[in-house]
Amino acid sequence: MSRDPSKNREQFRPESHENDHFLLTTIVGSYPKPKWLNRAKELSEDDDSKFTADHLEEAYDDACEVITHEHERAGLDTVVDGEMRRNEMVEFFAHRIDGYEFNGPVKVWGHNYFNKPSVADEVAYDEPWLVDEFEFTTNVAEKPVKVPITGPYTLANWSFNEAYETEEELAYDLADLVNEEIEKLVEAGARYIQIDEPALATTPDDHAIVGECLERIVADIPEEIRIGLHVCYGDYSRIYPELNDYPIDEFDVELCNGDYEQIDVFTEPDFEPDLALGVVDAHTAEVEPVEEIKENIKQGLKVVPPEKLTISPDCGLKLLPRDIAYGKMENMVKAAREVEQELDAGEIDLDVPVAKAD
């Protein structure tokens, strides 16, 4: 691993943080949309409605502000806007990348359909994808803003490839575009970028392709910019310890839903990047008690020392009732702060090696 997470983590510690230890708290990305936002979108698509595109844009702005403040109220150290403007993690970006086109939805399971895009021509970068979104959120937030981006491997794997000889070549071209977008975001002030690669969980043998994509993504990106990689579910033993070679600062992993059965996968050899551990389940509509979340946090301390542990939900929370999503975040932050206090008091035994000095 060529990046050093210790050079960019401390910038997210709040000035008012009361404990010596600091467990960085964040959220993966998606969050339940207010019901009125969905209604506003329906009205904007109704030819008989007087609800215009400008009205819809104002509704998106309002929703982003509401959810950003909701994340801050829960106490998160870094926030996102809940991806209020995004409809789906591939479709949103495909609409913004030259070379993609849409030919109608495809059936994925049961009665569910996915508007799966096609790559009909060589992909190219045109206008920024997320800069306006980031700048708006930064202007309404008091906390640092994290920017989730669907990764190039998932953008390639979850699309029809009609233009490239191999999906690998497509993924590498998309990685170059993601690099260009991150450069624009950094110019706008972004300091925390998360690459989402859920497709890796279903095709783990392609971990080397993802590694090369990440090398292209971080090219010329300064080390003070935090780069995370989120991969949800799957057999992590098929990508570990290979992910130690990824040029990332943080690996975000979904383990709570599986009762941490795979936590030992990451203990041998030593885990190199920071660990962003899911400590609340994104698939259950129940708010975990603080004491339960504290025990989940301690699972992460089997892998990395506290100064390398980030606390987050397992995955995006968009499918949960909004009050449940908020309750999970609020209890997650409370649990993290209590674990910090116990670490300060020496009440928690640490079995992992201390972080290496610079």
Side-chain angles (χ1 to χ4, degrees):
M1 188 185 73
S2 59
R3 295 181 66 85
D4 183 357
S6 67
K7 291 185 177 180
N8 56 50
R9 186 179 188 274
E10 195 64 18
Q11 65 184 302
F12 303 110
R13 180 195 287 258
E15 292 183 3
S16 60
H17 194 72
E18 296 180 351
N19 303 320
D20 292 335
H21 281 87
F22 173 52
L23 302 176
L24 174 61
T25 60
T26 189
I27 185 167
V28 172
S30 70
Y31 194 77
K33 290 180 170 63
K35 292 181 177 63
W36 50 261
L37 181 60
N38 294 328
R39 178 56 179 154
K41 192 170 186 300
E42 291 173 359
L43 287 171
S44 72
E45 296 169 350
D46 184 353
D47 292 336
D48 296 327
S49 169
K50 295 181 180 179
F51 202 87
T52 67
D54 287 343
H55 294 145
L56 180 61
E57 188 60 31
E58 183 178 344
Y60 280 132
D61 286 350
D62 290 346
C64 290
E65 184 168 359
V66 165
I67 299 305
T68 299
H69 289 164
E70 193 160 303
H71 290 172
E72 292 183 324
R73 191 165 66 252
L76 292 170
D77 298 310
T78 64
V79 301
V80 301
D81 67 358
E83 301 181 2
M84 293 293 106
R85 304 179 198 274
R86 307 187 196 184
N87 45 356
E88 195 277 333
M89 67 183 305
V90 171
E91 181 181 342
F92 176 86
F93 291 95
H95 277 298
R96 289 157 174 79
I97 299 174
D98 286 353
Y100 274 89
E101 64 179 31
F102 290 86
N103 299 302
V106 296
K107 194 171 185 178
V108 285
W109 71 88
H111 297 288
N112 294 288
Y113 287 82
F114 165 47
N115 199 13
K116 186 173 181 176
S118 298
V119 179
D121 201 351
E122 185 174 322
V123 295
Y125 189 89
D126 185 15
E127 296 294 325
W129 311 337
L130 299 170
V131 171
D132 287 349
E133 175 184 297
F134 168 75
E135 289 180 336
F136 179 88
T137 308
T138 298
N139 285 334
V140 302
E142 295 182 4
K143 300 286 187 71
V145 175
K146 180 168 76 172
V147 184
I149 302 178
T150 302
Y153 179 75
T154 297
L155 288 172
N157 189 259
W158 290 4
S159 304
F160 294 115
N161 176 20
E162 301 172 356
Y164 287 77
E165 289 189 11
T166 68
E167 185 179 292
E168 181 177 354
E169 292 174 339
L170 169 59
Y172 293 159
D173 273 6
L174 287 166
D176 291 337
L177 304 191
V178 173
N179 170 262
E180 193 167 350
E181 175 65 13
I182 292 177
E183 288 181 345
K184 296 284 194 301
L185 286 163
V186 170
E187 289 174 7
R191 292 295 179 268
Y192 196 171
I193 310 290
Q194 175 185 288
I195 309 299
D196 294 326
E197 289 287 15
L200 179 58
T202 57
T203 52
D205 292 337
D206 282 352
H207 57 75
I209 298 175
V210 173
E212 174 60 25
C213 284
L214 289 166
E215 292 286 353
R216 292 168 179 252
I217 285 170
V218 304
D220 299 321
I221 302 301
E223 287 204 348
E224 61 263 27
I225 309 304
R226 190 167 183 83
I227 302 292
L229 173 68
H230 173 68
V231 179
C232 40
Y233 58 86
D235 181 358
Y236 296 110
S237 68
R238 295 175 67 183
I239 62 172
Y240 192 80
E242 287 81 3
L243 73 83
N244 274 343
D245 295 327
Y246 287 173
I248 58 175
D249 299 304
E250 177 181 270
F251 183 68
D252 190 301
V253 63
E254 176 180 343
L255 289 177
C256 184
N257 183 251
D259 294 325
Y260 300 96
E261 290 182 357
Q262 296 190 69
I263 193 71
D264 290 342
V265 166
F266 302 110
T267 59
E268 183 64 38
D270 290 348
F271 194 81
E272 294 292 335
D274 286 3
L275 175 66
L277 182 69
V279 298
V280 295
D281 193 341
H283 305 284
T284 59
E286 297 178 357
V287 177
E288 295 89 342
V290 170
E291 287 302 318
E292 178 181 327
I293 300 173
K294 287 170 63 176
E295 292 305 309
N296 294 345
I297 291 172
K298 292 173 186 177
Q299 293 283 345
L301 295 175
K302 297 177 180 179
V303 179
V304 295
E307 59 268 28
K308 290 178 66 65
L309 184 60
T310 298
I311 307 302
S312 75
D314 254 354
C315 200
L317 301 176
K318 69 178 181 180
L319 298 180
L320 293 175
R322 189 169 149 203
D323 61 331
I324 298 294
Y326 179 80
K328 285 176 180 283
M329 290 192 307
E330 187 176 46
N331 279 6
M332 184 182 80
V333 173
K334 288 179 181 177
R337 302 291 90 101
E338 289 187 15
V339 169
E340 290 172 351
Q341 292 169 2
E342 292 173 12
L343 286 165
D344 285 357
E347 297 172 0
I348 297 177
D349 292 328
L350 299 176
D351 297 325
V352 297
V354 297
K356 298 175 183 178
D358 291 347

